[in-house]
Amino acid sequence: MPALIDIRRRIRSVKSTQQITKAMKMVSAAKLRRAQEAMFAARPYARKMLEVLNSVAARANPEAHPLLEQRGHDRALLVVVTADKGLCGAFNANIIRTAARFVAERGERGVELSLVGRKGRDAFKRRGLKLRSERVGVFQALRYATARELAQELTSAFVAREVDEVYLAYNEFKSVIQQRIVVDRLLPIERHVLRPEQAPSDYLYEPDPAAIFDSLLPRHVEVQVWRALLESQAAEQGARMTSMDAATNNASEMIDRLTLYMNKVRQAAITKEIIEVVSGAGAPS
């Protein structure tokens, strides 16, 4: 039977861990509120721009702009957005598993990776896959300039015909306790399939279509990348908050069990001493 001092030492250790997890939960809750505000502000604009450009792409000539050009599926560039830190449940493992499945289905030779986040970089570097770029530490102070830089890198690779398709893989924020893994095709821009009652006529552009596409399409790529980063940031904080809350509750349960066990050990020791005293007193002199 373990000594009481060992049990007390273990209880103190669990209490220290519980204080850490409780503090991390509070920090994640504060960060989540700011991340949610930024994400909810970007969502409507990004979705409406995607809807408008999908409709425009369905009616416009695919040769009107390089970002509208539909090619084959031989070479793909996958942008994988993970966190820089752990302690957020299955947040990183799920997106890494999804990206690995995407690479396996397309074939390693036909997929390049652009990694955002330290966890994804470490995971895929160990697997020896073809990496185009990597970015770590971007979520410490997330800025639109980071999304613009990444978007310019993706559009340049697509326009230069180094890749035929560009995909985004990230965790979309649904709620504090739920994230949804999304793999969206970013380039070329999706074309809506027009229904029979919809006229396939083109729009009238002012100024000319080339000037509008040159300004609007790169901005669209930037906005979609920015939204993916904001979604992943909010989802990460939600996952970490949930994970730390569960860890704090588990620590409380463990403390209760250890305290009960310590009391049983102490009671057993006291009972043993009483029996020894009684036995000694009742022994013949």
Side-chain angles (χ1 to χ4, degrees):
M1 187 173 293
L4 286 175
I5 189 172
D6 294 331
I7 302 176
R8 290 193 182 101
R9 186 181 296 115
R10 189 175 179 188
I11 290 176
R12 286 196 300 268
S13 175
V14 176
K15 285 183 177 179
S16 299
T17 303
Q18 185 185 41
Q19 291 177 351
I20 295 173
T21 57
K22 188 180 296 184
M24 292 184 66
K25 174 190 172 183
M26 296 174 64
V27 171
S28 294
K31 290 183 177 180
L32 174 62
R33 181 175 53 81
R34 295 194 297 268
Q36 277 183 302
E37 292 174 355
M39 178 200 63
F40 287 140
R43 260 186 186 178
Y45 180 74
R47 286 177 173 173
K48 180 55 69 172
M49 177 173 278
L50 179 62
E51 178 184 340
V52 170
L53 285 180
N54 284 344
S55 179
V56 170
R59 293 174 170 84
N61 185 354
E63 299 179 358
H65 194 275
L67 299 183
L68 297 174
E69 182 181 357
Q70 304 289 327
R71 303 175 193 161
H73 307 280
D74 297 332
R75 299 166 301 172
L77 175 58
L78 178 64
V79 182
V80 184
V81 184
T82 61
D84 289 316
K85 302 176 182 179
L87 298 178
C88 48
F91 176 87
N92 292 307
N94 288 340
I95 192 67
I96 291 172
R97 190 180 304 113
T98 300
R101 190 182 307 117
F102 180 92
V103 173
E105 292 174 355
R106 301 289 294 261
E108 292 186 7
R109 292 186 177 181
V111 179
E112 291 183 84
L113 298 177
S114 180
L115 305 176
V116 179
R118 182 174 284 106
K119 289 298 181 179
R121 182 202 64 178
D122 295 344
F124 287 108
K125 265 193 170 182
R126 290 194 297 267
R127 303 187 184 195
L129 299 177
K130 188 176 181 181
L131 306 182
R132 173 176 285 267
S133 65
E134 58 184 60
R135 288 173 173 81
V136 297
V138 299
F139 294 108
Q140 294 179 1
L142 187 58
R143 298 182 178 88
Y144 186 80
T146 304
R148 181 187 298 115
E149 178 186 349
L150 178 57
Q152 290 173 352
E153 175 187 314
L154 301 177
T155 54
S156 298
F158 184 79
V159 171
R161 294 181 174 273
E162 297 174 5
V163 295
D164 297 323
E165 295 176 307
V166 178
Y167 289 86
L168 274 174
Y170 61 96
N171 281 281
E172 183 183 54
F173 180 85
K174 302 297 289 183
S175 67
V176 176
I177 61 173
Q178 183 183 10
Q179 303 84 38
R180 184 172 72 94
I181 296 178
V182 175
V183 180
D184 283 337
R185 193 178 82 172
L186 184 63
L187 293 172
I189 295 173
E190 296 278 358
R191 299 166 62 95
H192 275 174
V193 178
L194 298 178
R195 295 189 297 271
E197 63 272 14
Q198 290 178 304
S201 58
D202 200 354
Y203 292 105
L204 296 177
Y205 298 96
E206 181 66 31
D208 61 280
I212 294 178
F213 287 158
D214 286 340
S215 174
L216 195 58
L217 296 184
R219 174 66 62 85
H220 161 72
V221 178
E222 293 177 7
V223 169
Q224 299 306 322
V225 172
W226 175 239
R227 182 205 164 195
L229 295 178
L230 290 177
E231 293 275 359
S232 182
Q233 183 183 45
E236 175 193 350
Q237 298 304 331
R240 181 169 292 113
M241 178 180 168
T242 303
S243 178
M244 291 301 99
D245 181 57
T248 302
N249 295 334
N250 291 339
S252 296
E253 295 177 1
M254 183 175 292
I255 291 172
D256 293 340
R257 289 198 303 269
L258 288 173
T259 302
L260 179 62
Y261 182 58
M262 181 185 68
N263 292 335
K264 288 181 178 180
V265 171
R266 184 169 57 185
Q267 184 180 9
I270 294 173
T271 303
K272 181 180 178 182
E273 291 178 0
I274 293 175
I275 292 174
E276 290 176 351
V277 170
V278 171
S279 300
S285 55

